[in-house]
Amino acid sequence: MRDFSRDHRWLSINTATVRAQWKLDGIIDECARRGIRAISPWRDQVAAVGLERIAAQVKSTGMELSGYCRGGMFPASTPEGRRLALDDNRRAVDEAKTLDAACLVLVVGGLPGALQGRAEHKDIAAARSDVQDGIAATLDYARKVGMPLAIEPLHPMYAGDRACVNTMEQALDLCDLLDPQRSGALGVAVDVYHVWWDPKLEEQIRRAGRERLLAFHVCDWLLPTRDLLNDRGMMGDGVIDIPRIRGWVEQAGFAGYSEVEIFSSENWWKRDGGEVLDTCIERHRSAV
């Protein structure tokens, strides 16, 4: 297991962590100023500044992308809706390639319409079928341009609206079905916030192996959690044994960045951005 206590060489900042404080170009500058060598930006943040401008800034600062957020949201109740989802995912693949991201993270989607406030049906099996078909079609395109896809299983509390793939086992079953040769084109993003509770987590990380482990996201689960979406904790402030999980992913062959991804409307998004980044650096050394 790598020693993170002396530096933050393997720290990445998911740019949602300080999205309330700066636009993306400002985030990149502030990270570079602190010797943070990697980020994982969100598509809306890129669009707000401009894809080509961000690509140039990433190159000029020497910043790497541990991932790109996000593709997915495949389920739909009509053929036209499914086609639009595939078109959007192809655009996401192209953006990730332009930015030279390590992978495109897939938040696969839940029941159609649920994220907008009203589910169009209750058939979660149909939603999962849409997800399988959508990943298969997107994978065909992503292979051609050389952009790995990382399925991110989300906590079961999000099964209805954000992701009907909720465990590493489910995600890896999809990988084995769609990429049986373990080519590296399809894998998983392991976010401790979503999977820390899973009694099969260690064995599924071992099952994933180096070829499937494409991203590793860290934050903490607070007790009590006041908001299931926007009350993630800073590493060390909650109940997740992050070093143990990192040990499992590294033992399985992962040697990439630990990506800090914190949504925190009542705490970290209200603080000075520099304080947030400096705390990420300190906790990456002491709690990851």
Side-chain angles (χ1 to χ4, degrees):
M1 186 168 168
R2 292 171 292 177
D3 181 4
F4 284 174
S5 65
R6 296 182 181 181
D7 59 46
H8 53 283
R9 166 67 181 88
W10 293 106
L11 167 65
S12 174
I13 298 295
N14 184 292
T15 57
T17 304
V18 283
R19 71 176 306 138
Q21 290 88 346
W22 299 298
K23 290 185 177 180
L24 183 54
D25 52 350
I27 295 173
I28 293 172
D29 285 341
E30 293 292 337
C31 286
R33 187 173 295 121
R34 289 168 171 79
I36 296 170
R37 299 177 61 169
I39 59 169
S40 183
W42 285 68
R43 294 180 68 194
D44 65 311
Q45 293 175 293
V46 171
V49 179
L51 177 62
E52 296 305 324
R53 179 176 169 185
I54 292 299
Q57 187 181 15
V58 165
K59 185 175 181 179
S60 67
T61 58
M63 197 68 64
E64 297 181 30
L65 267 66
S66 57
Y68 189 53
C69 299
R70 56 179 164 69
M73 295 297 166
F74 296 107
S77 57
T78 65
E80 174 67 8
R82 289 186 282 274
R83 186 189 65 77
L84 290 173
L86 292 181
D87 290 346
D88 187 60
N89 275 274
R90 291 187 189 98
R91 287 191 294 271
V93 168
D94 290 340
E95 293 166 20
K97 189 64 178 179
T98 297
L99 295 169
D100 197 24
C103 61
L104 174 65
V105 175
L106 301 181
V107 175
V108 298
L111 298 174
L115 197 58
Q116 291 73 41
R118 187 176 180 83
E120 296 166 15
H121 62 67
K122 298 182 179 181
D123 190 346
I124 197 168
R128 287 176 173 144
S129 179
D130 284 349
V131 166
Q132 179 178 314
D133 293 344
I135 294 175
T138 303
L139 181 61
D140 284 343
Y141 180 70
R143 283 185 191 277
K144 295 175 183 176
V145 302
M147 176 50 55
L149 303 178
I151 304 169
E152 182 175 4
L154 265 57
H155 192 283
M157 63 188 173
Y158 296 125
D161 55 0
R162 285 180 167 81
C164 56
V165 173
N166 308 111
T167 65
M168 283 277 288
E169 186 173 27
Q170 282 179 286
L172 290 171
D173 285 349
L174 283 168
C175 290
D176 288 348
L177 178 67
L178 301 176
D179 181 43
Q181 65 272 37
R182 299 177 67 92
S183 68
L186 182 64
V188 294
V190 179
D191 186 327
V192 298
Y193 186 75
H194 294 300
V195 300
W196 70 276
W197 57 273
D198 187 347
K200 293 184 177 181
L201 182 58
E202 182 179 9
E203 68 180 80
Q204 293 301 315
I205 287 173
R206 189 182 309 116
R207 171 190 173 189
R210 180 178 57 83
E211 299 88 357
R212 298 273 198 237
L213 293 171
L214 301 183
F216 180 58
H217 300 178
V218 296
C219 64
D220 220 330
W221 186 284
L222 300 176
L223 291 180
T225 294
R226 296 168 293 177
D227 183 288
L228 294 179
L229 179 63
N230 290 323
D231 193 28
R232 295 188 181 199
M234 182 65 68
M235 299 81 69
D237 288 348
V239 297
I240 302 177
D241 191 343
I242 302 171
R244 173 177 290 187
I245 299 174
R246 180 166 72 88
W248 292 342
V249 299
E250 292 197 3
Q251 188 174 17
F254 181 78
Y257 289 97
S258 293
E259 179 183 315
V260 177
E261 184 179 31
I262 298 174
F263 306 148
S264 179
S265 58
E266 297 304 313
N267 187 358
W268 296 100
W269 283 348
K270 291 184 174 181
R271 300 197 189 197
D272 174 78
E275 176 192 355
V276 176
L277 291 180
D278 291 343
T279 305
C280 289
I281 290 171
E282 190 278 321
R283 296 297 181 86
H284 180 264
R285 297 184 180 192
S286 64
V288 175

